[in-house]
Amino acid sequence: MRKEAAPSSAPSTATTVGKLFVCFETKSLVATLLALTLVMLLWNLPPYYQNLLSTTRPCSAPLSVAASATTSLLSTNASLPYTATPVAEKKYYSAPKAKPSDPNKRVLEAYGNAAALFVLMGAYRGGPTTFAVVGLASKPIHVFGRPWYKCEWISNNGSSFRAKAYKMLPDWGYGRVYTVVVVNCTFPLNPNQDNLGGKLMINAYYGESQRKYEKFTALEEAPGSYNDSKYRPPFQYEYLYCGSSLYGNLSADRMREWMAYHAWFFGPSSHFVFHDAGGVTPEVRAALAPWVRAGRATVQDIRDQVEYDGYYYNQFLVVNDCLHRYRHTANWTFYFDVDEYIYLPDGNTLESVLNEFSDYTQFTIEQNPMSSVLCLNDSSQQYSRQWGFEKLLFRDSRTRIRRDRKYAIQAKNAYATGVHMSENVIGKTLHKTETKIRYYHYHNTITVHQELCREYLPLSAKNKVTFFNKLPYVYDDSMKKLANTIKEFERNTIGNLHLI
């Protein structure tokens, strides 16, 4: 039987080294893959620590630190880029409670804050002796607790004045994690009588106890800045538009049409304030830019509101901030949306209508609900070149049903407001206004970027009631008759507008 020769020592050594090399290479590859997987997993984890840290500070923090850390929403005209704080700079310290010696004594330990006690958006002087502080607050603490506020004016001359605050919750219970709070501070006399300046401080209490509270600076007045004439007529404008939060994928064409129409409707002594909650895209901004340059409109960036879970993009917060920010800017302030068009029937003029309503603090406006899809099947019309209100001509004719109303208010007589009317006013409210003023509502059109005419009715529909989706519609061309006037007004005012 033939025997195999014994292997030499050199090949044996080479084989062993080769196996070790392959083993080492495989382990390195596995380790690398595991490390990369762990890094990617950590990278995609939600950064919950950011929200916790943003509203947490040690109880022993000095007042200056607490004031600088006060969470605030700033209404600015420019977007600020988000900058993340490096992980190395973040602190995760919570002092543990001492363990009790009694094993039956249970200890509850809290970590972080779910909602802020107060989120400041703006504070404004409302007259010689009164101020308004507008913000958000944790809704549960206002529903189930008894938080309250105290106002203090610290003058630059060293004196101070205190006043108990009156709080209002104007969002009708619609708040979510946060509810809207308007704090009214009324002093017995003008705290800045010498015009040396000073600051308004707010104590926000967690409950009935006076021992637990947060103190922050709400407003500062520079020396010589107080001007009593600002709070008396005549005001800068006749009419002011306070818009709700703009969000979603808005149509630049619809915004252009709306702005041109209402700039014409309200006339040169008017101003428009828009609030960008994410809906002012570059295209929409381009449509509004000529009016901003002409001084007819202001666009405020409120995208920070997304951090605070309130009702419908915090629109109650926005309308209240606008009310107080521009309280003494115009005789009448109008609240309605960008898919709604104010209209005066039967030859009324805006000046004559408002003169007739001058004894009322506010009046509500009834709507004409329009179809967002129905057009006439008329081959003579070039619908692709027409504006929305020029071709959507069919009105929902149902009666005796409740529809949302919009409103106008003499802001100088209001302490807080809502989306459809105010419940915190001095004076009377008028509702029976449909023969004097109305608004056309083109619901579900403001985010449509394609052709609006999607369903066509025969020409005979102009003279009869037509049912579509089981709803009755009648032909109404009141707005169409104004289209050429509005287009000419736009050309004469800002020139030919070419959207992006």
Side-chain angles (χ1 to χ4, degrees):
M1 184 169 80
R2 191 165 71 99
K3 294 182 179 179
E4 297 289 343
S8 65
S9 59
S12 175
T13 302
T15 303
T16 303
V17 171
K19 289 182 177 179
L20 286 173
F21 179 77
V22 170
C23 181
F24 176 77
E25 187 179 38
T26 303
K27 288 183 177 180
S28 299
L29 179 61
V30 171
T32 302
L33 290 174
L34 286 173
L36 287 173
T37 302
L38 181 61
V39 169
M40 293 303 295
L41 179 63
L42 292 174
W43 182 267
N44 287 280
L45 280 176
Y48 295 111
Y49 54 81
Q50 292 178 5
N51 289 336
L52 294 175
L53 289 175
S54 66
T55 57
T56 305
R57 64 175 178 84
C59 294
S60 59
L63 176 60
S64 60
V65 176
S68 64
T70 300
T71 310
S72 64
L73 284 172
L74 299 179
S75 298
T76 60
N77 287 331
S79 298
L80 296 178
Y82 171 74
T83 304
T85 304
V87 174
E89 298 180 17
K90 296 186 179 297
K91 298 180 180 180
Y92 300 88
Y93 175 75
S94 293
K97 294 181 179 179
K99 300 298 182 183
S101 57
D102 183 355
N104 292 319
K105 170 64 176 175
R106 306 299 301 275
V107 176
L108 304 180
E109 298 191 55
Y111 299 92
N113 294 320
L117 178 65
F118 196 86
V119 181
L120 176 66
M121 182 169 187
Y124 311 99
R125 181 185 273 273
T129 63
T130 184
F131 298 82
V133 182
V134 183
L136 297 168
S138 167
K139 182 176 179 178
I141 202 171
H142 281 272
V143 172
F144 301 107
R146 293 185 177 180
W148 56 289
Y149 304 91
K150 187 183 292 183
C151 310
E152 181 180 12
W153 177 268
I154 300 178
S155 175
N156 289 342
N157 65 15
S159 63
S160 65
F161 305 90
R162 292 184 178 179
K164 188 171 181 180
Y166 174 70
K167 75 171 185 180
M168 290 158 280
L169 307 178
D171 64 7
W172 301 352
Y174 283 114
R176 291 164 57 87
V177 175
Y178 286 96
T179 190
V180 178
V181 180
V182 177
V183 179
N184 176 271
C185 301
T186 300
F187 293 87
L189 49 79
N190 184 355
N192 190 21
Q193 275 186 322
D194 55 13
N195 213 356
L196 291 178
K199 55 187 177 181
L200 177 68
M201 306 296 297
I202 300 294
N203 286 9
Y205 294 86
Y206 286 87
E208 293 180 343
S209 171
Q210 296 190 35
R211 292 184 296 176
K212 189 177 181 183
Y213 65 92
E214 304 290 338
K215 188 170 187 175
F216 59 91
T217 301
L219 176 147
E220 293 190 52
E221 282 187 351
S225 63
Y226 174 73
N227 182 359
D228 185 69
S229 66
K230 289 173 57 177
Y231 309 103
R232 300 191 309 267
F235 299 130
Q236 184 177 0
Y237 302 109
E238 287 291 332
Y239 317 113
L240 182 83
Y241 169 76
C242 276
S244 290
S245 308
L246 295 178
Y247 59 89
N249 188 19
L250 301 182
S251 165
D253 288 328
R254 302 292 85 76
M255 290 296 297
R256 170 208 182 170
E257 297 160 7
W258 186 97
M259 184 67 221
Y261 176 88
H262 288 98
W264 168 83
F265 179 87
F266 287 112
S269 185
S270 62
H271 193 78
F272 299 81
V273 182
F274 299 97
H275 297 90
D276 174 19
V280 180
T281 61
E283 294 80 9
V284 171
R285 190 171 296 277
L288 296 175
W291 301 102
V292 173
R293 289 194 296 267
R296 297 294 306 275
T298 297
V299 180
Q300 295 187 356
D301 182 348
I302 61 159
R303 296 189 181 204
D304 278 1
Q305 64 79 34
V306 74
E307 301 293 332
Y308 308 96
D309 185 12
Y311 176 75
Y312 231 85
Y313 299 84
N314 282 303
Q315 62 174 299
F316 279 95
L317 174 68
V318 167
V319 297
N320 276 281
D321 182 80
C322 192
L323 172 80
H324 289 287
R325 188 180 184 91
Y326 297 96
R327 189 181 188 197
H328 298 283
T329 302
N331 293 321
W332 287 95
T333 300
F334 283 75
Y335 289 92
F336 58 102
D337 293 329
V338 291
D339 59 354
E340 299 166 344
Y341 289 68
I342 306 296
Y343 178 78
L344 299 169
D346 302 326
N348 293 318
T349 66
L350 186 58
E351 183 180 8
S352 66
V353 169
L354 295 185
N355 283 339
E356 186 176 337
F357 295 168
S358 61
D359 290 338
Y360 295 89
T361 290
Q362 68 178 339
F363 63 89
T364 60
I365 309 171
E366 188 172 311
Q367 71 166 288
N368 288 337
M370 303 297 288
S371 168
S372 61
V373 300
L374 293 178
C375 295
L376 274 177
N377 190 3
D378 187 349
S379 60
S380 66
Q381 301 293 318
Q382 292 181 299
Y383 287 132
S384 61
R385 303 184 65 179
Q386 292 184 5
W387 287 10
F389 65 82
E390 191 177 0
K391 54 191 173 185
L392 295 175
L393 308 177
F394 288 92
R395 173 169 50 85
D396 183 341
S397 61
R398 288 177 295 169
T399 58
R400 297 182 181 179
I401 63 171
R402 182 193 175 279
R403 303 187 193 276
D404 286 339
R405 301 174 74 96
K406 295 304 165 69
Y407 70 105
I409 195 168
Q410 297 193 58
K412 67 181 185 290
N413 294 329
Y415 293 107
T417 198
V419 174
H420 298 289
M421 63 175 291
S422 171
E423 292 183 339
N424 303 95
V425 297
I426 300 171
K428 301 179 294 182
T429 298
L430 178 65
H431 295 292
K432 195 73 174 175
T433 62
E434 57 271 16
T435 61
K436 301 293 183 179
I437 187 169
R438 304 177 72 94
Y439 73 92
Y440 282 85
H441 187 191
Y442 299 88
H443 188 52
N444 290 334
T445 62
I446 193 64
T447 56
V448 176
H449 293 258
Q450 65 270 27
E451 174 56 51
L452 289 172
C453 293
R454 284 158 287 174
E455 298 288 342
Y456 295 90
L457 298 181
L459 292 177
S460 59
K462 294 175 68 172
N463 304 311
K464 65 178 183 179
V465 176
T466 302
F467 280 83
F468 179 76
N469 287 340
K470 299 181 179 179
L471 298 179
Y473 289 92
V474 296
Y475 182 78
D476 185 342
D477 64 352
S478 299
M479 291 292 293
K480 179 180 177 64
K481 293 175 181 177
L482 298 171
N484 290 334
T485 300
I486 307 307
K487 292 177 183 179
E488 183 180 2
F489 166 79
E490 182 194 57
R491 285 192 299 270
N492 293 337
T493 307
I494 61 170
N496 293 318
L497 184 59
H498 301 286
L499 298 181
I500 298 175

